[in-house]
Amino acid sequence: WSPELSSDLYRIDGWGAPYFTVNSSGDISVRPHGTDTLPHQEIDLLKVVKKASDPINSGGLGLQLPLVVRFPDVLKNRLESLQSAFDYAVQSEGYEAHYQGVYPVKCNQDRFVVEDIVKFGSGFRFGLEAGSKPELLLAMSSLCKGSSEGLLVCNGFKDAEYISLALAARKLQLNTVIVLEQEEELDLVIDISRKMEVQPVIGLRAKLRTNHSGHFGSTSGEKGKFGLTTTQILRVVRKLKESGMLDCLQLLHFHIGSQIPSTELLADGVGEAAQVYSELVRLGAGMKFIDIGGGLGIDYDGTKSSDSDVSVGYGLQDYASTVVQAVRFVCDRKNVKHPVICSESGRAIVSHHSVLIFEAVSSTTTRSQELSSMSLHSFVEKLNDDARADYRNLSAAAIRGEYDTCMLYADQLKQRCVDQFKDGNLDIEQLAAVDAVCDFVSKSIGAS
């Protein structure tokens, strides 16, 4: 066995790159600065756990498992990588505005995580997104120490108290945007802003037609739970115009769904939203921002597949370039000034930076049935013609040393025997015997 085989077995270079790898000792190693990590900066995770869990009198911290180990430098690298991807796309596409993201607090409300994001992102106007009153209070407290240009995007259900709090944040010189998710919220915003004598910045969440059918796509599309329909958007515009507040409408928000599987779907959704944005400009709104919501996916299993709920078929740069191209194409065609692009990437920012470590308390081992030549002969005699043919082909491939073919026929033999058992034509001892045959084949050729 070797570290390389461990890395291959657990696909660490697939899902973990560029932050996790297997080092020469066979331990998980963390690269806190991604591809820029120098050899002496790598962190052996096993050594961290030993230091944390060893008794205090032995020089350890005396902590008990399970442990959550955080790597703030990974968090910093994720923020910088996201910003760099959009900066490159903006420059290469000739886009005439910039990108500035926000972190959705609901992804991880840990104080140290939120404060680190504000600190690391202050140099490029990174902000926060809140979806409830407690999150809004947390975001207000944190952003007081961040960039004055960083957005404080207020999503979620809004009662009078929420809206008053958001407008108070505006008075505190925070760059607050109240995003309408329900039509009736507008009346509260207009009424309370006049009472508090605050000029609000308003956004609206559009309920797009674009959706995806994956595990995380249920909140997208025109039948999604959140956002305003085309008819409702027009009524909001009309009411703001009548109130002399149409210039307050500055942001369009939408959300296709979390874990967007492909850039094709992303381009479709962003293109549709850019059309809505251009129409709001035409109607006289003071538009400045297009907020593409969340959806930047994580490849959890390392397969880089757009057909999986736990993987995605693109990287950071593909994502950023797709968004910038889609917005620029529509705006240029409509002769509309390019908006500032905002995204609410949560899992893509924080997922890699913390590791849960727990103790293995037991293990499961499988002991296969021993097969003598007599019991093997008895087993083969009870097989149907197709299964017996698979067994003969398996034996012939084994003699020739064709290991891949061995595994193919072993799998076919096992499935045919399972089908026979389900039909009542094979007893449980015979089913155990085929398991023993297939386990023997796997072990003999070293397959996992």
Side-chain angles (χ1 to χ4, degrees):
W1 198 252
S2 67
E4 290 75 24
L5 288 172
S6 284
S7 181
D8 184 56
L9 176 63
Y10 295 107
R11 272 196 196 152
I12 289 173
D13 291 335
W15 57 261
Y19 302 108
F20 300 94
T21 187
V22 177
N23 63 23
S24 58
S25 301
D27 300 335
I28 287 284
S29 185
V30 181
R31 293 173 170 166
H33 308 294
T35 54
D36 295 329
T37 305
L38 300 174
H40 73 275
Q41 295 174 319
E42 289 193 13
I43 301 166
D44 188 316
L45 196 54
L46 184 60
K47 290 181 180 177
V48 173
V49 174
K50 284 183 175 179
K51 178 72 175 176
S53 58
D54 279 352
I56 295 175
N57 57 16
S58 300
L61 299 178
L63 301 176
Q64 289 186 326
L65 297 172
L67 297 170
V68 174
V69 182
R70 290 184 54 243
F71 298 95
D73 286 324
V74 172
L75 192 62
K76 183 173 184 284
N77 186 268
R78 289 301 289 173
L79 280 169
E80 291 172 347
S81 298
L82 179 63
Q83 185 69 39
S84 295
F86 271 99
D87 286 347
Y88 179 81
V90 163
Q91 186 176 8
S92 60
E93 292 293 326
Y95 194 79
E96 295 171 358
H98 64 271
Y99 165 82
Q100 59 180 95
V102 299
Y103 168 67
V105 173
K106 65 176 176 285
C107 275
N108 188 328
Q109 299 102 331
D110 187 288
R111 170 187 168 187
F112 298 106
V113 173
V114 177
E115 288 181 350
D116 277 350
I117 287 172
V118 170
K119 179 175 69 175
F120 297 147
S122 62
F124 36 84
R125 299 171 283 214
F126 217 87
L128 298 174
E129 181 268 347
S132 65
K133 282 176 274 189
E135 287 179 7
L136 180 53
L137 284 166
L138 191 158
M140 287 169 64
S141 171
S142 300
L143 275 179
C144 285
K145 302 168 188 173
S147 168
S148 60
E149 295 180 70
L151 291 169
L152 173 52
V153 177
C154 300
N155 289 328
F157 173 77
K158 300 170 194 69
D159 58 11
E161 191 176 22
Y162 185 120
I163 291 167
S164 298
L165 194 58
L167 291 169
R170 190 89 195 151
K171 270 191 170 183
L172 291 170
Q173 304 301 309
L174 294 175
N175 196 7
T176 312
V177 183
I178 301 173
V179 179
L180 307 177
E181 301 211 27
Q182 297 181 1
E183 193 178 355
E184 54 266 27
E185 292 171 353
L186 178 59
D187 291 328
L188 281 173
V189 172
I190 292 173
D191 182 48
I192 296 171
S193 64
R194 284 173 174 168
K195 288 178 181 176
M196 293 179 66
E197 297 181 346
V198 179
Q199 182 84 340
V201 173
I202 299 171
L204 56 84
R205 177 169 176 171
K207 193 179 288 188
L208 301 183
R209 267 71 168 180
T210 304
N211 69 320
H212 71 89
S213 57
H215 180 62
F216 297 103
S218 60
T219 58
S220 61
E222 59 183 323
K223 292 185 179 179
K225 292 179 281 188
F226 309 109
L228 306 178
T229 64
T230 304
T231 303
Q232 290 173 319
I233 289 172
L234 288 172
R235 283 203 293 263
V236 164
V237 169
R238 193 178 306 120
K239 187 170 287 188
L240 283 170
K241 191 172 184 178
E242 290 168 357
S243 303
M245 296 174 65
L246 191 53
D247 59 323
C248 295
L249 180 55
Q250 296 182 14
L251 180 144
L252 175 69
H253 172 46
F254 66 95
H255 181 65
I256 301 171
S258 296
Q259 198 73 3
I260 296 171
S262 68
T263 53
E264 290 79 15
L265 178 66
L266 177 67
D268 190 28
V270 174
E272 182 187 348
Q275 295 285 358
V276 176
Y277 180 94
S278 299
E279 287 300 297
L280 290 171
V281 171
R282 182 181 64 83
L283 292 171
M287 302 302 293
K288 294 180 181 177
F289 304 93
I290 185 164
D291 179 352
I292 64 174
L296 173 53
I298 291 292
D299 189 358
Y300 289 105
D301 64 5
T303 60
K304 294 180 172 52
S305 169
S306 58
D307 299 322
S308 168
D309 287 339
V310 292
S311 182
V312 290
Y314 56 85
L316 269 182
Q317 193 58 64
D318 300 323
Y319 177 86
S321 296
T322 299
V323 170
V324 172
Q325 286 170 12
V327 177
R328 182 185 62 80
F329 177 77
V330 173
C331 290
D332 286 352
R333 193 173 61 182
K334 295 279 188 176
N335 199 27
V336 168
K337 184 180 177 182
H338 296 170
V340 172
I341 295 174
C342 174
S343 73
E344 301 178 4
S345 301
R347 74 176 70 225
I349 291 174
V350 299
S351 292
H352 296 85
H353 103 286
S354 62
V355 180
L356 172 65
I357 299 167
F358 53 90
E359 190 174 11
V361 294
S362 66
S363 63
T364 302
T365 56
T366 307
R367 291 185 63 187
S368 302
Q369 173 186 343
E370 294 290 334
L371 274 180
S372 65
S373 55
M374 187 175 293
S375 59
L376 188 60
H377 179 74
S378 172
F379 160 69
V380 174
E381 284 296 310
K382 291 190 178 182
L383 298 177
N384 62 23
D385 291 342
D386 288 337
R388 198 175 292 124
D390 284 332
Y391 181 79
R392 285 195 297 267
N393 289 329
L394 167 60
S395 300
I399 291 168
R400 294 192 302 268
E402 297 173 354
Y403 295 152
D404 288 343
T405 308
C406 275
M407 288 304 300
L408 175 66
Y409 284 119
D411 289 341
Q412 281 186 199
L413 173 63
K414 191 169 189 174
Q415 188 56 53
R416 290 195 203 277
C417 289
V418 169
D419 292 340
Q420 272 190 266
F421 178 76
K422 287 180 179 178
D423 292 337
N425 298 322
L426 203 69
D427 57 40
I428 197 164
E429 290 87 355
Q430 293 291 310
L431 191 63
V434 76
D435 286 338
V437 170
C438 292
D439 286 347
F440 176 76
V441 171
S442 295
K443 288 174 183 175
S444 297
I445 64 177
S448 59

